[in-house]
Amino acid sequence: MAFTFAAFCYMLALLLTAALIFFAIWHIIAFDELKTDYKNPIDQCNTLNPVSLIVMKCVFSFQLVLPEYLIHVFFCVMFLCAAEWLTLGLNMPLLAYHVWRYTSRPVMSGPGLYDPTTIMNADILAYCQKEGWCKLAFYLLSFFYYLYGMIYVLVSS
Amino acid sequence: MLCGVVTFLCYLWFAPVVTFHNGCLPGARHTPTPGHSAAVPNSFDHVETGGRAMILTVSFKTLFAAAPPPPQPGSVGRQIGQSYPSLPPGYQGMAPPTNSGPVHPPAQPYGQPPQPYQQVEQLSPSLATLSLQSQTPSALRVVNLLQERNLLPTNAITAPTPCLPQDLQKINCNPDVFRCTLTSIPQTQSLLNKAKLPLGLLLHPFKDLSQLPVVTSSTIVRCRSCRTYINPFVSFLDQRRWKCNLCYRVNDVPEEFMYNPVSRSYGEPHKRPEVQNATIEFIAPSEYMLRPPQPAAYLFVLDVSHNAVQTGYIDVVCQLLLENLNSLPGDTRTKIGFITFDSTVHFYNLQEGLSQPQMLIVSDIEDIFLPTPDSLLINLNESKELVQDLLKSLPQMFSKTMETHSALGPALQAAFKLLSPTGGRISVFQSQLPTVGVGALKSREDPNQRASTKDIQHLSPATDFYKKLALDCSGQQVAVDLFLLSSQYCDLASLGGISRYSAGSIYYYPSYHNQHNPSQTERFQKDLKRYLTRKIGFEAVMRIRCTKGLSIHTFHGNFFVRSTDLLSLPNVNPDAGFAVQMSIEENLVDMQVVSFQAALLYTSSKGERRIRVHTMCLPVVNSLSDIFAGADVQAITGLLASMAVDRSVTASLSDARDAMTNAVIDSMASYRTSVLTIQQPGLLVPSCLRLFPLYILALLKQKAFRTGTSTRLDDRVFAMCQLKSQPLSHLLLMIHPVLYRVDDLNDEGALNINDRTIPQPKILQLSVEKLSREGAFLMDTGSVMYLWVGRNCSLNFLMQVLGVPNYSALPQSMVRLPELDTAESARTRTLIGWLREQRPFYPILHIIRDESPLKAEFMQNMIEDRTESALSYYEFLLHLQQQISK
């Protein structure tokens, strides 16, 4: 039993995935709030702030987006260095998706993904929610996979 | 996750849809609201006419009664309807004179089974026993488009009447204000998906109404759980309780609602005006304010670069403002301000007490600031003389300018800073591409690609600066209206964002020049006058509620969507239309009817907080044939146009074009397989959808979506903006212009309004075949009218109406009919005047002859004919048939 670079990668990935799970949950909650806002009976009178609120929400969730993508890219590179091909292969689809998602974002001057003017479109909102749930599931599964991988590498080497 | 992506990409289109639409009633101009007498709780002011609430009901009644009877099947012999196959598909060119005859109502082909009638019994029993308009069977009459021509009605098409009990229909919302694509709502989403028709509402919430009941009441009765305003479609369980028609909660009737101030009686809550009118306005108490109502605030931002000065628009703006300074909507608190810009931004200090306006120049456009924040936006009444001085001197101030740059971005930032404490309206006049400072743009248009049949690039903005600024504006209750007067590319796709997301409006005058283009100038003057004096609502929000089970999918128009059912509208104007796509989330079983309610909360220019509420009620059906019978082809076209604009921007133009064609194909295929019991050859559609292919073809040939015909990018983008933000009645003229023959006008079937006799010529199909050299034809495209005079037009018409001795004396370009003292001249002028009255903006008239340069534009509107790059109507039908039978 030795502490190899691969084992280190898995441990790091484990920690980072925990963070990603947190991001995914935050993402789900943010979009759910957007969707169910109208159930709030405080009515039409509160006219002044919500515009900037939605804009802020979009900016916020998008400030989480870039770190999330970077973290994911980071441990993919680590796995590449550690020559963990199977793990890398499992992560490739998500990596490719992230690249596609970010390249097809709307025209924006800053970094970001969500456009406050289109986010309330039912299709886009539903898509973002679905995306959140899928990612949560993926990160949860990979969390356990990394745990298994770490132990396996530690034991086998 | 990936499959999520795929489904999302594929099915943006047919998600259930609801649209809102606004139509404009002919002659329905806003009459100034008289001041409300002291707001005594529970006093009712029936504004506008001072009449009783009943007046409104009556006007609805007459409106529906005015609908022409449905064409009677078989009333015209078969031989009259010319059948297509006898004509070669490529029939263009001058038609033989025989074709110039009147258009006949649709003819019923022989041997058509009377099958549609059976569906009457399928309606829910309670509805079936009530008024079943004769419309239902005739709407479902099967029409074979390949066999029958002349399907275009010869007079204006009216909205279909929902199949509701008479007492509900009588008080239902005016279709000009609130219209649904399907007047019978499907019970389930799967049923809707099967019908392949979009579900949506088209809305014109702030339309100028001639009669509007206004209620001042200390409590506004609303449902306690969903906050729906009480409306004519709620049910009273007993005198003390009412059941909400949207969420079905039982609410108490408040004590003061028991008293009816109209009849001065007690104990008849169902007779109150709120329960008698589907459109009503409330004066809102202070709970509906988050801050004291803002004053009317207008800020004018004028481009004074060399290019702008050359066009001479500044004179027009200043002149009109001077004339209309007293008719700007507002009260004693009205504020006004001016900013001009070239490569620097100029402010004008108009503080009361100054002997003359003071100009302040800020050349630091990287970090714009307000030189004297307090004296730039001033009270109009207190500084009126200074404002007048400024307006008189402004045109000369920049006449020698050599500055060619335009710092639009910084000027807008400054305007936003100036207005953000109060909120209000910014009117921007821009004549070229912004070149310096933030928001500078580069020309993206390649003139060689204008006629490209490939995909059109650059329909989406190049920068998000204007959108971000618009969102900031929206947050501070500031709207930006954009007037674009230019001859060159201005990148409206990017600039438009500033108005689109701040609920402003966009006006575009291509090739504007005071001297070189007088007709454009005339139009600009008339539009600007209307713009300055029309009604305006500030710091508005609009919420659209619908019966539980239905939900809003997407909004179309100029606004910011603040929550799933709430639009933020810093300004609302009477010429703005909205569309809403809807979906059915829960099955509507056990429901006979569903309701939609649009509530617009705004601050009037007099500083009153008001709520305008429109409620529409529609029946629920559970069979496909009923859904088809209730389809409103005009509303469907309007909604599809908005959806297609979104599609062109998010995907591509060709995608949008395909989607529109597929919409027709899918719905017809569905009708054929699921509703028709007897399969026949041909292209069969229900009668109510008989114009669907024509409208879609018209959309495909519309400036916004056409390919292969040279179209400037800005023209295209402007057409797209119009499609999304115009009320339905304007939209339809834009999509499918109206053609009349006017050389033989007579008083037969004429309308009589206020002692004026308005001739009603028949509407002709848009095909060259309908033109003849012996006649004169008027084409109305909404914003422009063309009067085409044939080469052999009768001397009588030339002399009596046009005032020229013969055809060759007709000038190349003529924009006004001479006022001759003849019956023919009077008739023609009355007709044109009447058409103009029906819309808020002034359409210019071009009188054209064969050699006129505008003839090409006139001919481009002949949408039933083939062009080099587009199919003729008959070819399009064949294409549809081929796709359906695949």
Side-chain angles (χ1 to χ4, degrees):
Chain A
M1 182 163 165
F3 188 74
T4 59
F5 179 61
F8 172 71
C9 285
Y10 277 116
M11 285 166 88
L12 199 65
L14 204 61
L15 288 175
L16 292 175
T17 309
L20 291 185
I21 290 172
F22 163 77
F23 284 2
I25 292 174
W26 201 92
H27 180 108
I28 292 168
I29 293 175
F31 283 99
D32 197 59
E33 263 178 16
L34 274 183
K35 191 172 185 177
T36 49
D37 226 12
Y38 72 102
K39 298 219 166 97
N40 186 352
I42 309 168
D43 208 47
Q44 299 183 337
C45 37
N46 80 34
T47 50
L48 286 183
N49 289 317
V51 174
S52 40
L53 242 163
I54 294 181
V55 176
M56 265 172 55
K57 250 182 208 167
C58 286
V59 170
F60 237 45
S61 17
F62 126 65
Q63 277 174 348
L64 287 185
V65 163
L66 216 52
E68 178 191 332
Y69 289 9
L70 290 177
I71 289 172
H72 189 250
V73 169
F74 171 68
F75 62 72
C76 281
V77 172
M78 297 283 279
F79 284 126
L80 181 73
C81 299
E84 288 292 323
W85 305 118
L86 178 67
T87 315
L88 186 64
L90 289 175
N91 273 299
M92 279 321 277
L94 185 63
L95 194 66
Y97 171 72
H98 280 165
V99 171
W100 170 82
R101 186 90 163 99
Y102 205 76
T103 47
S104 61
R105 74 196 185 113
V107 180
M108 272 186 206
S109 46
L113 202 51
Y114 305 111
D115 177 355
T117 56
T118 54
I119 197 73
M120 296 311 292
N121 180 309
D123 284 327
I124 295 179
L125 203 55
Y127 173 74
C128 289
Q129 276 184 307
K130 212 188 284 171
E131 185 193 29
W133 284 109
C134 292
K135 274 194 181 167
L136 182 62
F138 183 87
Y139 291 143
L140 274 175
L141 287 177
S142 40
F143 182 82
F144 291 109
Y145 172 77
Y146 298 147
L147 192 64
Y148 163 82
M150 183 185 73
I151 294 167
Y152 182 83
V153 172
L154 283 176
V155 170
S156 65
S157 53
Chain B
M1 179 176 329
L2 281 176
C3 76
V5 184
V6 177
T7 42
F8 166 68
L9 289 176
C10 305
Y11 261 66
L12 267 175
W13 234 169
F14 275 113
V17 185
V18 173
T19 16
F20 285 103
H21 199 68
N22 333 352
C24 213
L25 248 188
R29 289 280 150 95
H30 164 68
T31 37
T33 318
H36 286 272
S37 50
V40 185
N42 253 342
S43 79
F44 290 74
D45 294 353
H46 295 282
V47 178
E48 332 273 339
T49 55
R52 317 220 129 189
M54 288 308 287
I55 294 173
L56 190 87
T57 331
V58 174
S59 74
F60 276 131
K61 215 179 193 168
T62 43
L63 205 126
F64 291 119
Q72 289 303 310
S75 61
V76 179
R78 161 104 168 120
Q79 69 281 10
I80 295 177
Q82 298 156 1
S83 66
Y84 260 116
S86 62
L87 274 168
Y91 56 87
Q92 309 127 293
M94 281 320 214
T98 48
N99 278 327
S100 56
V103 180
H104 300 285
Q108 169 88 344
Y110 289 136
Q112 198 64 68
Q115 61 167 127
Y117 293 84
Q118 76 209 20
Q119 70 112 47
V120 170
E121 291 94 67
Q122 295 166 4
L123 281 176
S124 56
S126 69
L127 284 182
T129 53
L130 293 157
S131 72
L132 270 177
Q133 287 88 344
S134 55
Q135 174 237 348
T136 311
S138 78
L140 264 187
R141 186 176 66 84
V142 183
V143 175
N144 184 349
L145 292 177
L146 293 174
Q147 292 282 321
E148 293 184 42
R149 300 200 63 201
N150 301 333
L151 287 170
L152 193 70
T154 54
N155 39 20
I157 308 162
T158 48
T161 320
C163 210
L164 280 173
Q166 211 117 53
D167 53 336
L168 286 186
Q169 186 47 42
K170 216 165 58 185
I171 45 177
N172 214 349
C173 199
N174 185 334
D176 284 341
V177 172
F178 215 148
R179 204 155 155 180
C180 186
T181 54
L182 302 177
T183 54
S184 305
I185 304 290
Q187 208 168 50
T188 61
Q189 179 69 41
S190 61
L191 196 59
L192 176 62
N193 292 346
K194 245 195 226 161
K196 304 276 187 197
L197 290 168
L199 174 62
L201 304 171
L202 294 153
L203 198 63
H204 190 176
F206 205 51
K207 180 176 155 51
D208 287 333
L209 296 166
S210 51
Q211 279 156 355
L212 174 70
V214 179
V215 170
T216 313
S217 176
S218 58
T219 49
I220 296 176
V221 182
R222 300 173 67 178
C223 171
R224 287 185 57 177
S225 91
C226 68
R227 310 297 290 148
T228 298
Y229 294 85
I230 197 165
N231 59 70
F233 310 105
V234 302
S235 45
F236 282 92
L237 300 178
D238 52 48
Q239 276 211 350
R240 287 285 174 183
R241 290 178 308 151
W242 61 278
K243 191 169 163 193
C244 173
N245 53 336
L246 269 66
C247 68
Y248 302 110
R249 185 195 154 104
V250 176
N251 293 279
D252 292 333
V253 177
E255 182 60 37
E256 51 214 297
F257 202 74
M258 298 298 288
Y259 174 71
N260 184 352
V262 178
S263 63
R264 296 182 196 287
S265 58
Y266 185 84
E268 290 182 330
H270 56 281
K271 296 260 175 73
R272 292 263 302 198
E274 292 95 324
V275 192
Q276 292 293 329
N277 296 295
T279 294
I280 194 157
E281 189 154 284
F282 297 96
I283 311 268
S286 57
E287 299 101 87
Y288 292 83
M289 303 167 196
L290 206 69
R291 57 174 189 180
Q294 67 160 83
Y298 306 107
L299 181 61
F300 295 88
V301 179
L302 306 162
D303 180 1
V304 290
S305 60
H306 178 71
N307 191 30
V309 173
Q310 287 302 304
T311 63
Y313 87 89
I314 301 172
D315 305 74
V316 177
V317 173
C318 291
Q319 186 57 36
L320 273 161
L321 255 174
L322 265 178
E323 285 165 17
N324 295 297
L325 216 46
N326 292 323
S327 32
L328 285 179
D331 53 11
T332 51
R333 301 185 301 158
T334 307
K335 291 182 160 193
I336 196 166
F338 296 88
I339 291 178
T340 56
F341 66 97
D342 39 36
S343 63
T344 55
V345 181
H346 323 132
F347 298 89
Y348 297 87
N349 184 347
L350 299 165
Q351 186 67 278
E352 192 191 1
L354 286 176
S355 57
Q356 62 177 55
Q358 205 175 29
M359 181 170 161
L360 305 153
I361 300 176
V362 174
S363 51
D364 180 9
I365 53 170
E366 295 308 318
D367 180 22
I368 199 84
F369 62 93
L370 300 180
T372 52
D374 302 331
S375 53
L376 302 177
L377 191 67
I378 41 81
N379 186 303
L380 176 60
N381 286 317
E382 288 166 9
S383 307
K384 192 169 271 171
E385 279 169 21
L386 280 175
V387 171
Q388 282 165 339
D389 279 355
L390 176 65
L391 288 174
K392 278 176 199 149
S393 54
L394 205 55
Q396 282 80 48
M397 275 159 76
F398 298 95
S399 54
K400 301 274 186 310
T401 186
M402 278 311 179
E403 186 55 75
T404 52
H405 286 296
S406 160
L408 177 65
L412 283 172
Q413 283 178 325
F416 165 64
K417 277 189 182 161
L418 191 50
L419 268 189
S420 56
T422 47
R425 180 176 80 187
I426 301 177
S427 317
V428 185
F429 297 80
Q430 170 74 5
S431 73
Q432 58 169 318
L433 208 59
T435 48
V436 287
V438 281
L441 298 168
K442 291 200 171 60
S443 179
R444 298 190 289 168
E445 188 186 32
D446 175 4
N448 300 325
Q449 295 293 312
R450 279 180 190 161
S452 152
T453 47
K454 280 179 289 169
D455 259 327
I456 310 295
Q457 302 293 308
H458 307 311
L459 291 173
S460 51
T463 159
D464 69 340
F465 169 77
Y466 294 98
K467 179 162 79 183
K468 274 177 27 197
L469 187 60
L471 294 185
D472 290 341
C473 287
S474 183
Q476 299 297 326
Q477 308 295 346
V478 175
V480 184
D481 292 334
L482 180 65
F483 288 81
L484 206 55
L485 313 122
S486 77
S487 41
Q488 276 131 34
Y489 176 68
C490 272
D491 202 351
L492 186 59
S494 305
L495 288 185
I498 190 76
S499 299
R500 191 166 157 206
Y501 302 110
S502 68
S505 29
I506 300 171
Y507 304 89
Y508 178 48
Y509 303 90
S511 321
Y512 180 86
H513 197 283
N514 264 9
Q515 270 93 49
H516 304 164
N517 200 344
S519 59
Q520 199 71 288
T521 310
E522 188 188 0
R523 203 179 123 217
F524 177 56
Q525 280 170 332
K526 304 265 183 184
D527 287 4
L528 193 60
K529 184 169 164 41
R530 157 83 183 163
Y531 171 80
L532 292 173
T533 54
R534 71 182 175 192
K535 209 175 160 176
I536 182 169
F538 296 97
E539 43 185 3
V541 284
M542 180 163 73
R543 195 181 286 270
I544 294 159
R545 297 183 174 86
C546 38
T547 299
K548 211 167 68 180
L550 292 164
S551 76
I552 291 170
H553 186 275
T554 309
F555 289 99
H556 300 277
N558 290 350
F559 46 71
F560 176 70
V561 189
R562 222 166 67 184
S563 112
T564 27
D565 59 349
L566 185 69
L567 301 181
S568 172
L569 304 165
N571 279 6
V572 60
N573 68 68
D575 306 316
F578 302 89
V580 189
Q581 278 168 255
M582 300 214 88
S583 51
I584 302 169
E585 294 216 319
E586 294 162 38
N587 293 350
L588 307 167
V589 278
D590 305 330
M591 290 184 198
Q592 306 265 306
V593 292
V594 289
S595 304
F596 302 91
Q597 186 172 71
L600 178 74
L601 173 67
Y602 68 97
T603 302
S604 75
S605 50
K606 304 262 184 274
E608 266 173 334
R609 204 74 175 135
R610 287 173 166 235
I611 310 163
R612 190 173 291 189
V613 180
H614 305 283
T615 317
M616 178 173 64
C617 179
L618 293 174
V620 177
V621 295
N622 58 12
S623 79
L624 265 183
S625 57
D626 291 345
I627 298 175
F628 279 105
D632 179 343
V633 66
Q634 297 185 316
I636 291 174
T637 311
L639 182 64
L640 281 176
S642 288
M643 290 161 74
V645 172
D646 276 4
R647 234 331 161 68
S648 328
V649 178
T650 54
S652 69
L653 194 69
S654 53
D655 238 38
R657 288 171 58 90
D658 290 347
M660 282 190 284
T661 319
N662 289 340
V664 195
I665 294 170
D666 292 347
S667 61
M668 286 185 173
S670 152
Y671 176 73
R672 201 185 169 95
T673 51
S674 316
V675 180
L676 282 182
T677 44
I678 306 161
Q679 296 297 330
Q680 294 167 308
L683 191 60
L684 305 177
V685 294
S687 163
C688 58
L689 285 179
R690 66 192 187 280
L691 297 176
F692 196 19
L694 179 64
Y695 282 152
I696 293 297
L697 181 68
L699 267 178
L700 293 176
K701 293 186 175 183
Q702 223 276 334
K703 258 188 195 154
F705 302 113
R706 71 188 179 193
T707 52
T709 312
S710 179
T711 312
R712 302 196 317 171
L713 194 53
D714 276 346
D715 287 352
R716 188 186 293 276
V717 173
F718 180 64
M720 288 186 172
C721 296
Q722 296 273 87
L723 288 177
K724 282 201 82 162
S725 62
Q726 291 289 298
L728 186 60
S729 51
H730 305 185
L731 210 63
L732 286 170
L733 279 178
M734 253 182 84
I735 296 171
H736 189 272
V738 176
L739 182 70
Y740 305 102
R741 181 170 183 154
V742 290
D743 60 320
D744 53 359
L745 288 181
N746 53 44
D747 287 343
E748 191 185 321
L751 275 184
N752 270 303
I753 300 175
N754 299 340
D755 302 331
R756 279 192 314 161
T757 308
I758 299 141
Q760 297 288 296
K762 293 195 166 114
I763 294 174
L764 305 177
Q765 282 163 295
L766 292 169
S767 164
V768 174
E769 175 197 349
K770 296 287 169 197
L771 300 180
S772 88
R773 285 179 198 188
E774 281 77 37
F777 295 83
L778 179 71
M779 180 189 278
D780 180 7
T781 68
S783 54
V784 185
M785 291 186 193
Y786 301 98
L787 179 62
W788 179 80
V789 185
R791 185 175 291 278
N792 305 333
C793 185
S794 69
L795 271 183
N796 187 36
F797 184 78
L798 288 171
M799 287 191 295
Q800 308 288 344
V801 177
L802 299 172
V804 290
N806 54 46
Y807 186 75
S808 51
L810 197 63
Q812 276 284 358
S813 85
M814 190 171 161
V815 291
R816 200 164 282 134
L817 280 179
E819 297 200 9
L820 302 177
D821 197 17
T822 59
E824 288 86 351
S825 170
R827 269 197 209 112
T828 318
R829 281 183 291 119
T830 330
L831 173 68
I832 292 173
W834 177 71
L835 289 172
R836 279 180 171 157
E837 269 167 28
Q838 291 179 51
R839 59 204 73 164
F841 291 108
Y842 183 84
I844 30 178
L845 174 71
H846 289 289
I847 297 162
I848 51 176
R849 45 184 279 181
D850 261 350
E851 307 81 40
S852 303
L854 281 170
K855 172 134 187 261
E857 272 181 48
F858 176 75
M859 287 302 169
Q860 268 170 11
N861 286 319
M862 292 293 174
I863 50 177
E864 292 198 16
D865 295 334
R866 182 151 57 136
T867 64
E868 278 170 36
S869 53
L871 299 179
S872 74
Y873 181 50
Y874 186 66
E875 288 167 325
F876 184 64
L877 291 179
L878 287 179
H879 170 72
L880 293 183
Q881 191 192 20
Q882 201 185 3
Q883 296 292 316
I884 290 170
S885 49
K886 243 193 218 166

